[in-house]
């Protein structure tokens, strides 16, 4: 067991912050000393690590508590999402550093603002948060999965990887091609049939997640070769954009 002072020094978090986390029910200490001082065990420290990772990604404390108190909270899945988001954040910072260097070298004549674009991080963060919420898609996923055996789950996973292997076979072609777009539609239909209704918004978010790095990217690239996840994402974004445009045209008519 560690005192609040020890945890503060170990984690680089102020005592006041730890007291506040206790007050709002985000991080309760395992116990107290006879004098009433907080004591934290290893489980508390693991929870604190999770909290600090979410905080590093600028999740509000209210959302962190909601996520971590969800009955469906899965630490490993949360870590995968955190790794993907941190990877996107790293890329964002590297782009900003490169821009700053370019401005310094050119004397301020670099009129490029693309490095400030945080849309990929925001889209993925929204997708990650939604996966912990009480969404219709997540309820449908739980309902469809409840009676499946482990073997059936593995078989579905293998079927999805075969779709990505098909993306890999054409990854050096145009993602806007008919074949690539057909595969994006095939993936959407597969997810809808076996997991939950995969709308264009959901599919777009999934595409970003596939290409964001971490286990998702590695698994997809493992199925189709390096670059498959990125190609699939591009094909998916074009597919969703076209479907969205088509839907808007229909509404106008």
């Amino acid at each position: 067991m560690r005192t609040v002072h020890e945890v503060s020094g170990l984690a680089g978090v102020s005592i006041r912050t730890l007291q506040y986390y206790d007050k709002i029910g985000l991080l309760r200490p395992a116990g107290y000393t006879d004098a009433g001082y907080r004591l934290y065990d290893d489980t508390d420290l693991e929870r604190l690590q999770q909290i600090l990772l979410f905080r590093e990604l600028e999740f509000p404390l209210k959302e962190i508590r909601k996520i971590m108190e969800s009955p469906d909270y899965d630490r490993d899945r949360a870590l995968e999402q955190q790794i993907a988001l941190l990877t996107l954040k790293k890329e964002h910072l590297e782009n900003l550093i490169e821009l700053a260097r370019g401005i310094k070298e050119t004397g301020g004549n670099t009129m490029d603002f693309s490095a400030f674009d945080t849309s990929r991080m925001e889209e993925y963060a929204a997708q990650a948060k939604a996966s912990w919420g009480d969404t219709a898609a997540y309820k449908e996923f739980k309902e469809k999965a409840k009676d499946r055996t482990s073997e059936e789950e593995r078989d579905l996973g293998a079927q999805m990887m075969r779709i990505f292997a098909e993306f890999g076979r054409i990854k050096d072609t145009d993602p806007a091609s008919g074949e690539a777009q057909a595969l994006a539609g095939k993936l959407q239909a597969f997810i809808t049939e076996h997991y939950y209704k995969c709308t264009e918004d959901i599919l777009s978010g999934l595409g970003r997640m596939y290409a964001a790095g971490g286990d998702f990217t590695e698994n997809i690239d493992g199925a189709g070769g390096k670059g498959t996840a990125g190609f699939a994402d591009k094909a998916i974004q074009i597919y969703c954009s076209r479907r969205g445009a088509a839907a808007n045209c229909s509404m106008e008519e």
Side-chain angles (χ1 to χ4, degrees), residues 20-32:
Y20 183 67
Y21 286 175
D22 182 10
K23 180 180 178 181
I24 65 175
L26 182 60
L27 180 66
R28 301 284 194 191
Y32 295 86

Side-chain angles (χ1 to χ4, degrees), residues 10-242:
L10 179 66
V13 177
S14 71
I15 293 174
R16 180 175 294 181
T17 295
L18 291 170
Q19 291 171 338
Y20 183 67
Y21 286 175
D22 182 10
K23 180 180 178 181
I24 65 175
L26 182 60
L27 180 66
R28 301 284 194 191
Y32 295 86
T33 67
D34 293 339
Y37 293 107
R38 295 170 176 82
L39 292 172
Y40 298 85
D41 61 15
D42 289 345
T43 300
D44 297 328
L45 293 179
E46 288 178 7
R47 184 176 175 86
L48 178 58
Q49 283 182 330
Q50 286 286 291
I51 293 168
L52 295 180
L53 281 170
F54 280 121
R55 289 296 290 151
E56 189 66 31
L57 293 166
E58 301 178 11
F59 278 49
L61 292 176
K62 185 183 293 186
E63 288 187 4
I64 297 173
R65 181 179 174 184
K66 180 180 178 182
I67 289 170
M68 298 187 70
E69 289 182 355
S70 167
D72 299 307
Y73 180 67
D74 184 320
R75 179 174 171 271
D76 289 339
R77 185 156 67 96
L79 282 169
E80 285 183 1
Q81 293 172 334
Q82 288 165 342
I83 290 167
L85 277 167
L86 288 168
T87 300
L88 288 174
K89 186 175 182 179
K90 176 187 174 185
E91 291 174 1
H92 176 62
L93 290 173
E94 288 173 344
N95 289 336
L96 288 174
I97 292 169
E98 193 63 30
L99 174 64
R101 285 174 176 161
I103 293 172
K104 182 179 179 182
E105 291 172 0
T106 62
N109 296 320
T110 303
M111 294 295 103
D112 180 6
F113 291 85
S114 60
F116 296 99
D117 183 9
T118 60
S119 59
R120 285 187 69 201
M121 281 193 295
E122 290 165 0
E123 287 172 8
Y124 185 88
Q127 184 73 19
K129 292 173 186 177
S131 72
W132 297 110
D134 190 26
T135 63
Y138 192 67
K139 286 180 178 178
E140 186 178 356
F141 167 76
K142 295 292 288 184
E143 181 65 25
K144 286 185 175 181
K146 68 178 183 179
D147 295 323
R148 283 201 290 256
T149 65
S150 297
E151 185 177 347
E152 288 171 334
E153 288 288 354
R154 286 194 296 271
D155 182 59
L156 284 176
Q159 289 181 50
M160 183 175 283
M161 285 301 107
R162 284 197 286 273
I163 295 175
F164 287 119
E166 293 182 60
F167 273 113
R169 182 174 53 79
I170 61 169
K171 68 180 186 300
D172 295 323
T173 66
D174 184 357
S177 71
E179 190 172 7
Q181 292 303 291
L183 281 175
K186 181 178 181 179
L187 178 63
Q188 182 184 37
F190 181 86
I191 294 170
T192 295
E193 180 181 357
H194 299 289
Y195 296 105
Y196 47 80
K197 184 178 180 181
C198 187
T199 65
E200 278 73 45
D201 285 343
I202 290 176
L203 184 63
S204 176
L206 288 172
R208 296 298 190 196
M209 183 171 66
Y210 296 152
D215 288 346
F216 287 109
T217 302
E218 289 179 11
N219 290 338
I220 292 169
D221 283 357
K226 188 173 182 180
T228 299
F231 176 80
D233 176 40
K234 290 176 183 177
I236 286 169
Q237 301 313 319
I238 294 168
Y239 173 86
C240 293
S241 177
R242 288 178 175 175

